């Protein structure tokens, strides 16, 4: 079942912060975050695993609440380059390659 | 390394036509997959492969076939194109050494079925 992302869209000014949420009704093994710019392929940002291990981007942080089956992506001091659509992908088993993606959150950062 | 490459970039088909979307990677990744992305939507898994000779279905496999004869190539075949298959198709790959690796996406093929 597809994870649910919120909000669907957000507009920021440069330097402002944003939080994007991803929740699932199923038990999760890992949550993956990707960013996609218009007309381009998705680009990897972050992986979060059960047990708290993280692997990913230097300037973007995220959390994974295993009990609630939720993950949040934190974008701090946003830059124009952060604009794009953010997708979370969830994996239910340690076959972490089989991802189910959410519908996306469109982020626009204005000067 | 070229990474993940896809051809063609754009394609227009008529209903009922068949075609093959090509995907290749030069990173020696075991895992390869095909997604489709409809306008304003997320990615949906069509088929995937964990190695040469092994393929399996994803969420939306109907109307598509795949094969994996080599590690490098993973073509997607549309058997009889329908307007509902109008979409952007992404191929992705990642190594299987660990269960939590980033997927590397190709640039996509934009397909329109009239």
């Amino acid at each position: 079942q597809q994870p649910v992302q919120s909000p669907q869209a957000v507009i920021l000014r440069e330097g402002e912060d944003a939080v994007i949420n991803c929740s699932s009704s199923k038990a999760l093994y890992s949550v993956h975050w990707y960013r996609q710019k218009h007309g381009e392929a998705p680009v990897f940002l972050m992986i979060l695993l059960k047990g708290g291990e993280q692997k990913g981007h230097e300037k973007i942080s995220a959390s994974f609440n295993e009990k609630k089956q939720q993950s949040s992506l934190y974008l701090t001091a946003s830059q124009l380059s952060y604009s794009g659509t953010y997708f979370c992908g969830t994996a239910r088993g340690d076959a972490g390659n089989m991802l189910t993606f959410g519908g996306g959150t469109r982020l626009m950062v204005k000067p | 390394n070229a990474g993940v490459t896809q051809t063609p970039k754009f394609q227009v088909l008529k209903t009922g036509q068949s075609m093959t979307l090509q995907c290749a990677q030069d990173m020696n990744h075991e895992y390869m997959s095909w997604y489709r992305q409809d306008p304003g939507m997320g990615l949906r898994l069509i088929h995937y492969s964990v190695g040469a000779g092994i393929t399996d279905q994803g969420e939306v496999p109907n109307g598509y076939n795949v094969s994996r004869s080599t590690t490098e190539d993973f073509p997607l075949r549309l058997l009889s194109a329908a307007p509902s298959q109008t979409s952007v198709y992404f191929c992705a790959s990642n190594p299987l050494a660990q269960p939590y690796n980033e997927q590397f996406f190709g640039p996509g093929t934009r397909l329109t079925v009239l």
Side-chain angles (χ1 to χ4, degrees):
Chain A
Q1 190 170 357
Q2 189 181 34
V4 177
Q5 290 186 232
S6 62
Q8 288 187 321
V10 59
I11 300 175
L12 298 174
R13 294 284 180 188
E14 264 189 299
E16 292 181 338
D17 301 338
V19 180
I20 300 173
N21 300 302
C22 174
S23 60
S24 173
S25 59
K26 305 286 187 180
L28 300 175
Y29 181 85
S30 63
V31 179
H32 305 225
W33 287 96
Y34 287 80
R35 176 171 61 208
Q36 184 180 33
K37 295 190 179 283
H38 184 70
E40 298 181 6
V43 174
F44 170 77
L45 294 176
M46 176 84 64
I47 294 175
L48 301 105
L49 303 175
K50 280 182 73 169
E53 184 177 350
Q54 296 186 20
K55 177 181 174 183
H57 205 277
E58 297 174 352
K59 296 184 179 181
I60 294 174
S61 62
S63 64
F64 181 16
N65 186 323
E66 297 171 29
K67 285 187 178 179
K68 293 186 177 181
Q69 308 307 327
Q70 290 178 348
S71 178
S72 295
L73 188 71
Y74 304 98
L75 305 167
T76 56
S78 59
Q79 306 170 16
L80 295 176
S81 62
Y82 285 11
S83 293
T85 301
Y86 290 76
F87 293 99
C88 69
T90 56
R92 294 179 57 190
D94 64 359
N97 310 288
M98 182 106 174
L99 297 179
T100 303
F101 283 92
T105 295
R106 295 181 66 180
L107 177 73
M108 181 182 296
V109 181
K110 294 186 173 181
Chain B
N1 286 349
V4 180
T5 58
Q6 292 183 236
T7 55
K9 289 188 177 179
F10 301 93
Q11 184 70 49
V12 179
L13 292 178
K14 293 182 179 178
T15 297
Q17 287 184 316
S18 62
M19 79 158 295
T20 299
L21 308 185
Q22 301 292 342
C23 174
Q25 52 92 9
D26 61 358
M27 298 173 282
N28 203 31
H29 288 168
E30 298 93 337
Y31 184 87
M32 296 185 74
S33 53
W34 277 102
Y35 294 90
R36 62 175 287 174
Q37 184 176 35
D38 299 324
M41 305 279 287
L43 298 145
R44 290 186 292 170
L45 183 65
I46 304 171
H47 285 286
Y48 66 98
S49 169
V50 298
I54 306 169
T55 64
D56 207 346
Q57 296 181 348
E59 300 172 67
V60 288
N62 292 340
Y64 307 95
N65 273 356
V66 292
S67 60
R68 184 97 179 268
S69 56
T70 67
T71 299
E72 295 77 19
D73 300 300
F74 191 43
L76 178 72
R77 282 184 291 277
L78 279 71
L79 309 173
S80 177
S84 61
Q85 294 179 305
T86 293
S87 191
V88 180
Y89 291 84
F90 289 101
C91 178
S93 76
N94 62 278
L96 266 181
Q98 297 173 345
Y100 40 86
N101 279 302
E102 67 175 283
Q103 295 196 12
F104 295 83
F105 284 85
T109 294
R110 186 174 297 274
L111 176 69
T112 301
V113 182
L114 303 175

